[in-house]
Structure formats: structure tokens, C-alpha cells
Amino acid sequence: MKVTVQSLLEKKRDNKKIAMLTAYDFPFAQIADEAGVDAILVGDSLAMVVQGMGNTIAVTMDEMIYHTRMVSRATKRAMVIADMPYLSYQISVEEALRNAGRFLKEAAAQAVKLEGGREVADRVRALTAAEIPVVAHIGLTPQALHRMGGYKVQGKTEDAANRLMEDAKILEDAGAFCLTLEAIPAELARRITAEVSIPTIGIGAGPDCDGQVLVLHDVLGLFERFTPKFVKRYGDLKGAALKAIADYKDEVEKGTFPDKEHSF
Ligand code: KIV
């Protein structure tokens, strides 16, 4: 059965952890879905781990739609959440609505995610009113890279922590059904998780969130430009791919591939 907004809310109520992972294409979305993750986020991290860019700023709506379509096509059970790219929701409520709607209409996403606190509450409210489920995202928000001066842990001072707590409540009140907490102290994430009734999904926010999300290419060992402290690598697909391709090259050069078994 497909994971829904209701089933994720139930998981929080029942104290069951939510596993979320990013994916950007058909084969990996199919694998993540088969492995049983609850939600697949088509993250704007696409820019960095697939497109090879230095940050997430440049990825476009059309590119995100293209990748979300592939992920939706591959996914039977997990909820598909599309990440709204930079400038797809910052300009106006109308633009936010039009762009978020495209993810549902053109790419079969079930929800969208957008970054920011109180300053995007009017977007969250408008999208929710238009029947578009919204995942909010506070703490380290990579689209604010230039204001933040780098990918730094947020909410470390008492004032900053209080502001994040307030933002969490404002976003819940605006209608967000889920809240991503990125790179904040574990104790603050624990307090926010206890204070809101929607599930919190942590990435670099400690063990007490209602769920966790990681970037697929980090989990599988396919991204090596840098590794944040919160990343745990569960596989070495780069190593496996290197070996397979080197073996293939070797056999072609030696003339042992194709053999009889692989010829007509
Ligand atoms: O773009 C992304 O992958 C994300 C997650 C890291 C939360 O926003």
C-alpha cells in the first residue's frame, strides 16, 4: 500500500521511525522502493551528486520535473516528495503555487519540500490550501548557502535555537505535514520533535527525530567530493562499479569477451 500523509502522521503517533532517502532516477528509485523506505525525496541535491555542480542553486524546475517523473514511475510504495528548487517559490505565493502544482500534475509527486522558516509560512499555507502536501525544511537550508557563509551547523546559540523552535511551530500551524531538520544540535532536534505533532525528519540532527533522511549517493559511496560528519556510508558502489568496468575493459582488450556464451 502506498505511503500517505496519514500513514506518516500515524508513524509519529505510534512512535515508529520513518526512513527517507533521496533518489533521482528510475533504477535507484526502484531499489530504494523495493528496500522499503517510507519516502523518496527527489532532492535538489541532484545538482551536486548527479549534475556535478558545487551547490544546489542552479538546478531548474524543468530538471527537477524530469527527474521526479523518473522516480514516480519507479515507485510503487514509497511517498515521492519533490524538492522545490531555488527561486521556484521565493518570488511570490503565485509562483510557488504554480511550480508546486507542476510537480503533482506533470511528475506525479505526492508532496513538495521547500526550505525556510517563518518567511515561507505564507507559501506553505497557500500550497496546503491548494491540496499540495508540504514538507518544510529548517536548520541548515542549502539554498541559503551565501547568507549562511557555508554549510554550517545552525541553532547553536540560545537565540538561534529559540527562533528555530518558533519556526517549527509556525510551519506546523501553516499546514506543513512534515518537517526536515538539517544540521542542528541533537538536543534542539529532540525538543522540536517533542513540541510539534508532525513528524520531524533529521539529517545531521541526532537520533531523536521521528525519522532520518540521507542523500543516496552518500549512502552508497558514490559522492566523494566531501563527506559531512552526519553521513554514514553503507556501501561502496563506486568501488564495485570501478571493478566491473575495469574487468570488462580487460576482457575486451584480451579478446576473451565476447565468448561463445555471449555470441550467436
Ligand atoms: O536536496 C536534498 O537532498 C535535501 C536533503 C538533504 C534533505 O534537501
Side-chain angles (χ1 to χ4, degrees):
M1 226 167 50
K2 193 80 174 159
V3 174
T4 61
V5 168
Q6 289 70 29
S7 55
L8 291 182
L9 291 167
E10 266 163 35
K11 276 203 145 183
K12 175 164 180 129
R13 250 174 268 137
D14 297 346
N15 224 1
K16 290 191 179 142
K17 294 282 188 187
I18 296 166
M20 189 188 291
L21 191 62
T22 69
Y24 315 92
D25 61 19
F26 188 98
F28 279 119
Q30 197 171 46
I31 293 168
D33 194 47
E34 272 182 44
V37 298
D38 297 296
I40 297 179
L41 170 68
V42 189
D44 62 355
S45 48
L46 164 72
M48 298 173 77
V49 300
V50 175
Q51 296 180 322
M53 292 197 257
N55 58 53
T56 61
I57 303 289
V59 67
T60 66
M61 262 308 293
D62 285 344
E63 288 162 348
M64 291 298 299
I65 292 269
Y66 174 72
H67 283 271
T68 304
R69 266 199 201 122
M70 295 181 224
V71 168
S72 293
R73 223 174 272 144
T75 305
K76 293 198 171 88
R77 179 185 166 275
M79 172 182 284
V80 175
I81 302 166
D83 214 1
M84 298 197 67
Y86 180 59
L87 278 200
S88 68
Y89 58 96
Q90 285 89 346
I91 294 170
S92 67
V93 170
E94 287 73 19
E95 290 234 6
L97 202 47
R98 193 167 299 113
N99 285 319
R102 283 188 68 194
F103 280 119
L104 272 65
K105 282 177 80 84
E106 298 175 33
Q110 288 160 271
V112 300
K113 178 171 84 58
L114 51 78
E115 296 180 7
R118 62 200 71 192
E119 66 281 4
V120 296
D122 58 349
R123 275 77 171 155
V124 174
R125 205 173 287 285
L127 268 48
T128 305
E131 314 295 3
I132 302 171
V134 180
V135 178
H137 180 162
I138 58 173
L140 196 176
T141 48
Q143 292 175 17
L145 164 73
H146 300 308
R147 174 175 58 76
M148 290 179 170
Y151 297 127
K152 295 176 182 165
V153 177
Q154 303 295 308
K156 290 208 287 192
T157 65
E158 200 182 322
D159 279 356
N162 288 342
R163 194 176 163 86
L164 284 173
M165 176 65 86
E166 284 169 15
D167 279 343
K169 291 180 181 167
I170 290 169
L171 292 162
E172 176 182 22
D173 182 60
F177 78 95
C178 185
L179 181 61
T180 308
L181 301 175
E182 179 163 355
I184 64 171
E187 174 54 19
L188 173 61
R190 188 195 63 72
R191 285 201 288 121
I192 292 175
T193 301
E195 289 282 328
V196 296
S197 58
I198 55 175
T200 59
I201 307 293
I203 172 163
D208 296 316
C209 298
D210 297 305
Q212 298 291 326
V213 60
L214 281 177
V215 168
L216 175 82
H217 289 54
D218 288 333
V219 168
L220 298 181
L222 285 170
F223 183 75
E224 44 188 21
R225 273 211 315 273
F226 63 89
T227 306
K229 176 178 159 66
F230 57 73
V231 164
K232 181 169 175 188
R233 186 176 282 191
Y234 287 84
D236 176 23
L237 258 57
K238 178 167 179 191
L242 265 175
K243 181 174 178 335
I245 294 168
D247 287 352
Y248 161 73
K249 171 184 174 284
D250 198 42
E251 290 196 6
V252 169
E253 286 174 355
K254 284 198 307 224
T256 55
F257 176 82
D259 53 12
K260 273 214 176 96
E261 196 191 330
H262 296 97
S263 302
F264 299 104

